[in-house]
């Protein structure tokens, strides 16, 4: 896996190149190869003047061996400790070799890949758009356990290491990594990358890590003076949720900063093994690595060959239409945005985007994405207007969040080409695309929509038609549960805090304001069953004129600082009762999990992987669960707990 080559100048180049994989990972092959390479370096030390570590792949190093990590149990802890100690020992031998060692980072270096680079004395990154450096471990329920925490803290100091790198999970561009201290220089070409590495080796024959030099002091000082602030800040960032990985990263950083390097390495290893053998890391790796890889790899894409999109028409230049147009233009597609007037269309103007009010400007477009107001008749009208000028086989897509696709396709000349492409707001930030298949949608249309989604950088899940599809339907149960709690007499702050402590990114009442209570009222009007939440929504909109965030008043007031409206206490029924915090949190998690299971049973969800990924990326289901369906599967007694909730709060919690 590691090619060892020594030049006439005595510089050894170690080239990482796993023959069995498209990317280098910290697997058994790597571990054996690195040990052998370091052994040879020591054996030939007198002939070596320096070392360059680089890669033959498009990326530098992809990180840890996640499939192996996901299988770890508590019984594997001793073997894991031995393995991690060996990896760290080789890194330590490399950085104390007594010769300058340079990482020539020729592509992405994430997680374990960045840890390889940190074990070198100098890091030069190839400055290309695809290159990213960072520690995404926290997003998988893990911590950088091959020296990442120990070295980053010693290099940068406690606060910068935690906030910029370890707790954020950010993947930084080379220039940003340079600005934030983990990269020392940039190179424009691969040749320049290696030339710079050789030049630095010649100029720094006595290179050593900062912490191995006499007089080293931790940047920013020891953590004692600032220690009380760190857990408080982390708790604020987590919004009250208790998540093992961020807490373990903080503990590893703080504890390791107060002891010698070797002891800090042991502390780091022990914390990582605790995470690796726990359920939450397995949940997160399952969803955000395995399920994500399956979804993006086309698990739900029909196996048909289709043409690539070239020219996209977007109907409607509002926030969603403009976001969709910009995403398509950034992917190199030709984009035309149409609205009723040139002035309205101009709202979507940008590089690669033509704006117009003239239907003729859409001539020949092979994809049309409608993003107008959620009115079925209006949507049918705009399709009827543009169909005559489009390419004869153009993909016809509607960006609706709730309206059934089969109904919208009624009256369209080519219902087989009609499909739902539900983007999430804001389009530039939200990674999910929900592709909705109508009763007559063809496999070719599904494949074309999927390919377009991947082309513009989205993760596309494929679901069948139905009221609210998957994401809007399931998040509706979350909002109904929260608003129903108000009717029961649960204090509004308790509702919001319970959701945040369960791991949701925002409180449900705040989310309802963002969605708009007017829209919620319209959706409730067509619901098959009248719920207590619907009465509260009607009262908020009709009696109190509080339609949501866009109007500046909803469950929250927005006049100065955002705060819950004091009138919410009057929404409760007279016989209101206290509800334990554990029940509040479980009601949110279970009501969505139960409905997701119904979606899978009814065929709305085609795959469990789509449900797990869609729930995390699209509707904020807590990532620590591994997704809405995995939460149910891995719960120690899902059916029993569901029946408890049903007995206390209603039959909606009865497990199927």
């Amino acid at each position: 896996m590691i090619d060892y080559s020594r030049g006439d100048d005595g510089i050894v180049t170690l080239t990482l190149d796993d023959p069995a994989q498209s990317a280098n990972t910290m697997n058994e092959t790597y571990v054996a190869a690195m040990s052998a390479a370091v052994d040879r370096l020591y054996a030939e030390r007198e002939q070596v003047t320096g070392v360059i570590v680089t890669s033959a792949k498009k990326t530098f190093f992809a990180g840890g061996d996640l499939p192996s990590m996901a299988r770890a149990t508590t019984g594997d802890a001793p073997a894991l400790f031995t393995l991690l100690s060996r990896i760290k020992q080789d890194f330590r031998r490399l950085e104390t070799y007594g010769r300058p060692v340079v990482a020539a980072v020729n592509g992405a270096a994430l997680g374990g890949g960045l840890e390889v680079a940190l074990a070198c004395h100098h890091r030069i990154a190839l400055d290309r758009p695809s290159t990213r450096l960072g520690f995404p471990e926290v997003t998988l329920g893990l911590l950088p356990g091959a020296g990442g925490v120990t070295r980053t803290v010693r290099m940068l100091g406690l606060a910068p290491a935690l906030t910029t790198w370890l707790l954020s999970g950010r993947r930084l561009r080379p220039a940003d990594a340079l600005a934030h201290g983990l990269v020392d220089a940039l190179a424009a070409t691969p040749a320049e990358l290696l030339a710079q590495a050789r030049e630095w080796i010649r100029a720094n024959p006595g290179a050593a890590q900062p912490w191995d030099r006499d007089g080293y002091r931790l940047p920013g000082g020891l953590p004692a003076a600032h220690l009380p602030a760190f857990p408080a800040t982390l708790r604020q960032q987590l919004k009250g949720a208790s998540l093992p990985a961020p807490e373990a990263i903080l503990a590893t950083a703080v504890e390791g900063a107060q002891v010698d390097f070797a002891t800090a390495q042991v502390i780091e290893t022990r914390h990582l093994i605790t995470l690796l053998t726990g359920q939450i890391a397995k949940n997160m790796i399952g969803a955000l690595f395995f399920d994500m890889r399956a979804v993006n790899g086309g698990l739900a894409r029909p196996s048909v060959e289709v043409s690539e999109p070239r020219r996209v028409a977007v109907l409607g230049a509002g926030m969603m239409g403009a976001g969709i147009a910009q995403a398509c233009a950034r992917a190199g597609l030709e984009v035309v945005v149409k609205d009723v007037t040139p002035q309205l269309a101009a709202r979507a103007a940008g590089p690669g985007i033509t704006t117009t009010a003239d239907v003729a400007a859409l001539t020949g477009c092979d994809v049309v994405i409608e993003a107008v107001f959620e009115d079925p008749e209006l949507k049918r009208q705009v399709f009827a207007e543009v169909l005559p000028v489009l390419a004869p086989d153009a993909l016809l897509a509607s960006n609706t969040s709730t309206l059934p696709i089969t109904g919208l396709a009624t009256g369209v000349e080519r219902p087989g080409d009609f499909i739902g492409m539900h983007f999430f707001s804001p389009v530039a930030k939200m990674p999910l695309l929900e592709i909705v298949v109508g009763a007559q949608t063809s496999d070719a249309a599904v494949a074309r929509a999927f390919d377009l989604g991947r082309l513009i950088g989205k993760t596309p899940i494929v679901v069948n038609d139905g009221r609210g599809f998957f994401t809007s339907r399931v998040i509706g149960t979350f909002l109904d549960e929260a608003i129903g709690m108000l009717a029961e007499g649960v204090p509004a702050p308790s509702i919001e805090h319970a959701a945040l402590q369960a791991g949701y990114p925002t409180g449900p009442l705040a989310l309802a304001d963002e969605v708009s209570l007017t829209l919620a009222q319209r959706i409730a009007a067509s619901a098959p069953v009248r719920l207590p939440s619907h009465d509260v929504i009607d009262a908020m909109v009709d009696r109190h004129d509080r339609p949501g965030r866009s109007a500046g008043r909803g469950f929250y007031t927005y006049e100065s600082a955002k705060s819950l409206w004091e009138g919410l206490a009057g929404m409760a029924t007279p016989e209101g009762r206290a509800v334990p915090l554990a029940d509040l949190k479980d009601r949110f998690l279970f009501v969505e999990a139960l409905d997701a299971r119904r979606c899978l049973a009814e065929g709305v969800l085609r795959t469990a992987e789509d449900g797990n990924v869609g729930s995390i990326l699209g509707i904020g289901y807590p990532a620590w669960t591994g997704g809405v369906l995995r939460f149910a599967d891995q719960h120690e007694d899902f059916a029993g707990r569901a029946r408890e909730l049903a007995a206390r709060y209603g039959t909606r919690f009865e497990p199927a």
Side-chain angles (χ1 to χ4, degrees), residues 19 73 79 90 132 265 302 367 378 640 651:
T73 66
D90 287 335
R132 293 290 185 276
Q265 293 272 70
V367 177
L378 176 62
T651 57

Side-chain angles (χ1 to χ4, degrees), residues 427-509:
V427 176
K429 290 185 177 181
M430 294 294 283
L432 191 71
L433 170 64
E434 185 177 33
I435 295 172
V436 187
V437 182
Q440 298 183 66
T441 304
S442 67
D443 282 353
V446 178
R448 292 174 69 189
F450 185 96
D451 292 351
L452 175 58
R454 293 299 298 136
L455 179 65
I456 63 176
K458 300 300 181 187
T459 293
I461 64 170
V462 180
V463 305
N464 288 327
D465 203 7
R467 185 175 179 274
F469 321 134
F470 167 63
T471 56
S472 296
R473 168 176 163 172
V474 171
I475 201 172
T477 65
F478 173 64
L479 298 177
D480 279 332
E481 195 64 26
I483 299 169
M485 288 174 181
L486 271 181
E488 292 174 32
V490 179
S494 298
I495 296 169
E496 299 292 78
H497 288 312
L500 296 174
Q501 289 184 34
Y504 288 90
T506 190
L509 302 181

